[in-house]
Amino acid sequence: MAPRLDHAHHAASQTEFMMLDRMEITDRLDAFARAGRALEADASTRDALWAMTHAVARRYVEDVDTLPAFTTHTGREPVPPIGPGAMSIHAVRRYLEGEIFHGGASPSAPGHFAYLTGGGLFHAALGDYLAAATNAYSGMAQTGPGLVQLENAMVRWTADLVGYPDTAGGYLASGGSLAILSAIAAAREAHGLRAADYHRAVVYLTEQTNPVMDKALRVAGMAEAIIRRVAMDERHRMRPDALSQAIQADREAGLLPWMVAPTAGTTDTGAIDPIAPLSDIAREAGCWLHVDAAYGGFFLLTDEGRRRMSGIERSDSVILNPHKSLFLPWGLGILLVRETRFLLPPHDLTGACLQDAANQASLSPGELSPELSRPFRALRMWLPLALLGTDPFRAALEEKLLLARYFHQRIAEAGFEVGPAPDLSVVAFRRAPAGASAEEADRLNEAIVDRLQRDGRVFLSSTRIDGRFTIRLAVLGYRTHRAQVDLAIQLLRDAADALEPGTRAPTSAANPP
């Protein structure tokens, strides 16, 4: 048995170490090695851990179709304290199933309509397991040539989907929040902006632009940049004429029009800005065109998505999140830049400690992104695509587009106020009783959302559009089908009937669009 390794034993000073003879040093090394060997996990331990992990995952995946989409947060057990001794595998499993993967939202549940989450493909989870089990490092080609090759292949496949030329490049990020930082850095490099220019540089967005853009500008040190909110049309899309007028006015005022950032799938309404005419204006004005396609990007696999995002291939940079419209687990976004060379200066990585990794044949993610320490993300994307092909993804995306239109028509028939037909798979709607004030209508819609969240069978979220409390339904999970949409419609009707007596909407037998 190894000797007790108390604090005093660990804290031997250099002087004490020098006084030890060789035999004492050897004995201590052997004792430490025996005590630390638990980290190495022998075959029986690995089998037991794998069985526990597989059991937790299997139970969740097999039950997910019947899980509530949302469970009201209740009091939780405290996290078991970490101490010198080990917890039993049974205790760990009980805590995982009882506390960690229980309560709040179930993003993989088929009734999850609240946020833009793709559902977490199991195939991708196996890719993550292999990447972590092998401790694969994808930062530099020298130490992970196959890993970097695979990541670059996934970047190229996505660039081809967008329609970018061979000069394009990018990397797999943790999500859009990190990717937009690199897009800003590339745009800043391409336009030669310096700190003295920031207060004059203008970024053109809309009120529907995701707030990560504002945050990224601050994190990038460009909080002084001017954010111009361009007027939108009745479908909440950036108006090209308003953009042109804003750029002209800013130039006449001595400002520096710099970046135009349309969205291909806004969070609130799923709207797609008219990218083709906006790209013409940006190019004529000498602005960098960045497209936020974090949500909508992989709808390019569908004919409808490609038609609606016409012009995206003319952008200077674009972000797509596979953990949204490619149905992968959270934690994967892709940045593409039309000209890779603009990514290199802000992410240059040199130093004596990296001299062995220099002069590799292909560019590495560590040279194109802020991350040097990074997980191997490419396997979670490649494995599902390799095992399934693109046809099932295309079919699932087509289904989501049609389900959104189906919901849009049926919820209007149920007496709810809706806007134009959705561009993608998000529908914004609200109950607006005749004669009710704006405040009364807001309170009613808030009560409807609260009632559905307490029920838990479906999970919808809310937002504010034009100052009005609005309910939104996002159809994006690959497990979500017509049965769940019909359930959401019925629950919304029931909630409206219960909370708004005397306004029961007529039942419609109309066919879906």
Side-chain angles (χ1 to χ4, degrees):
M1 178 179 294
R4 181 172 179 269
L5 303 175
D6 57 23
H7 180 73
H9 225 147
H10 280 274
S13 67
Q14 183 67 18
T15 302
E16 291 173 324
F17 177 80
M18 296 297 293
M19 295 175 62
L20 297 174
D21 61 30
R22 183 169 298 180
M23 182 64 69
E24 288 176 304
I25 293 173
T26 301
D27 288 344
R28 287 195 178 192
L29 287 173
D30 291 344
F32 288 136
R34 285 193 297 274
R37 197 151 285 142
L39 301 176
E40 299 176 28
D42 59 23
S44 62
T45 301
R46 291 196 301 271
D47 288 344
L49 291 171
W50 170 249
M52 183 271 290
T53 304
H54 179 65
V56 173
R58 180 175 181 175
R59 179 177 177 182
Y60 182 87
V61 171
E62 290 180 349
D63 291 349
V64 70
D65 285 344
T66 58
L67 285 177
F70 185 80
T71 305
T72 302
H73 191 278
T74 58
R76 311 194 71 80
E77 291 184 16
V79 177
I82 300 298
M87 290 177 64
S88 70
I89 288 180
H90 173 74
V92 168
R93 176 178 176 179
R94 184 182 64 82
Y95 183 71
L96 289 174
E97 292 184 328
E99 297 296 327
I100 299 299
F101 302 117
H102 175 74
S106 298
S108 298
H112 187 285
F113 296 108
Y115 302 111
L116 297 170
T117 171
L121 275 174
F122 184 72
H123 311 68
L126 297 179
D128 284 349
Y129 170 77
L130 290 172
T134 58
N135 197 29
Y137 173 62
S138 63
M140 304 300 293
Q142 183 225 13
T143 55
L147 282 63
V148 170
Q149 182 183 38
L150 186 60
E151 176 157 343
N152 288 345
M154 292 297 92
V155 168
R156 186 63 252 172
W157 178 80
T158 310
D160 289 340
L161 182 65
V162 170
Y164 270 4
D166 292 342
T167 55
Y171 67 91
L172 305 188
S174 60
S177 296
L178 180 63
I180 185 59
L181 282 172
S182 291
I184 289 171
R188 189 170 57 193
E189 181 66 28
H191 284 252
L193 289 185
R194 297 296 178 261
D197 304 316
Y198 294 170
H199 72 287
R200 297 173 53 238
V202 188
V203 184
Y204 299 91
L205 314 175
T206 73
E207 290 295 340
Q208 288 293 309
T209 301
N210 194 291
V212 298
M213 173 63 82
D214 303 65
K215 179 179 179 179
L217 287 166
R218 294 194 304 272
V219 174
M222 297 189 66
E224 293 176 275
I226 300 166
I227 295 177
R228 188 76 66 218
R229 303 289 177 181
V230 181
M232 299 179 291
D233 62 17
E234 71 284 352
R235 298 177 65 91
H236 302 284
R237 302 176 303 185
M238 186 184 291
R239 283 172 37 198
D241 63 320
L243 172 65
S244 183
Q245 293 166 11
I247 289 176
Q248 182 179 349
D250 285 337
R251 182 166 284 130
E252 291 174 354
L255 300 177
L256 184 62
W258 168 52
M259 177 185 283
V260 177
T263 303
T266 61
T267 301
D268 280 351
T269 68
I272 299 175
D273 290 326
I275 301 172
L278 295 175
S279 69
D280 290 338
I281 296 168
R283 182 168 298 179
E284 183 179 350
C287 292
W288 181 278
L289 184 73
H290 170 76
V291 177
D292 177 359
Y295 156 41
F298 288 101
F299 282 95
L300 287 167
L301 288 167
T302 71
D303 291 340
E304 180 70 8
R306 182 158 296 279
R307 182 182 70 81
R308 290 186 179 276
M309 285 180 266
S310 174
I312 194 171
E313 71 281 356
R314 295 157 63 184
S315 61
D316 295 295
S317 59
V318 61
I319 288 171
L320 306 89
N321 280 358
H323 64 219
K324 291 188 172 81
S325 49
L326 207 60
F327 310 121
L328 304 190
W330 288 113
L332 185 60
I334 298 178
L335 169 68
L336 299 175
V337 176
R338 169 181 285 275
E339 298 291 337
T340 308
R341 59 192 173 96
F342 292 129
L343 277 175
L344 292 171
H347 299 106
D348 182 43
L349 190 65
T350 58
C353 63
L354 297 171
Q355 63 185 18
D356 294 343
N359 302 318
Q360 296 297 306
S362 59
L363 288 171
S364 299
E367 301 171 282
L368 298 172
S369 77
E371 295 178 294
L372 182 57
S373 298
R374 65 198 311 275
F376 179 34
R377 298 184 177 109
L379 201 55
R380 63 154 52 187
M381 181 176 176
W382 178 81
L383 198 61
L385 290 169
L387 291 171
L388 299 169
T390 58
D391 282 351
F393 292 90
R394 180 179 292 107
L397 290 168
E398 294 277 15
E399 180 193 23
K400 306 317 159 198
L401 292 173
L402 189 56
L403 281 173
R405 285 156 180 76
Y406 173 87
F407 176 83
H408 180 267
Q409 177 178 313
R410 292 300 179 89
I411 204 64
E413 293 168 355
F416 285 78
E417 180 185 274
V418 297
D423 284 347
L424 289 173
S425 64
V426 172
V427 180
F429 61 100
R430 69 197 303 267
R431 194 74 166 189
S437 68
E439 293 76 13
E440 289 170 337
D442 282 354
R443 287 196 295 271
L444 172 62
N445 285 280
E446 189 172 358
I448 290 172
V449 171
D450 181 69
R451 183 184 177 97
L452 263 66
Q453 290 185 359
R454 289 180 181 278
D455 178 275
R457 282 176 286 175
V458 299
F459 181 33
L460 281 70
S461 65
S462 67
T463 186
R464 284 192 176 270
I465 299 176
D466 299 328
R468 298 177 301 181
F469 188 98
T470 302
I471 309 172
R472 57 184 294 282
L473 176 136
V475 188
L476 198 58
Y478 66 90
R479 293 183 174 95
T480 301
H481 307 294
R482 184 163 62 89
Q484 287 79 38
V485 173
D486 284 340
L487 176 60
I489 294 169
Q490 185 59 55
L491 292 173
L492 285 162
R493 288 173 60 100
D494 292 346
D497 289 346
L499 296 165
E500 184 196 348
T503 58
R504 183 182 298 273
T507 301
S508 172
N511 293 322

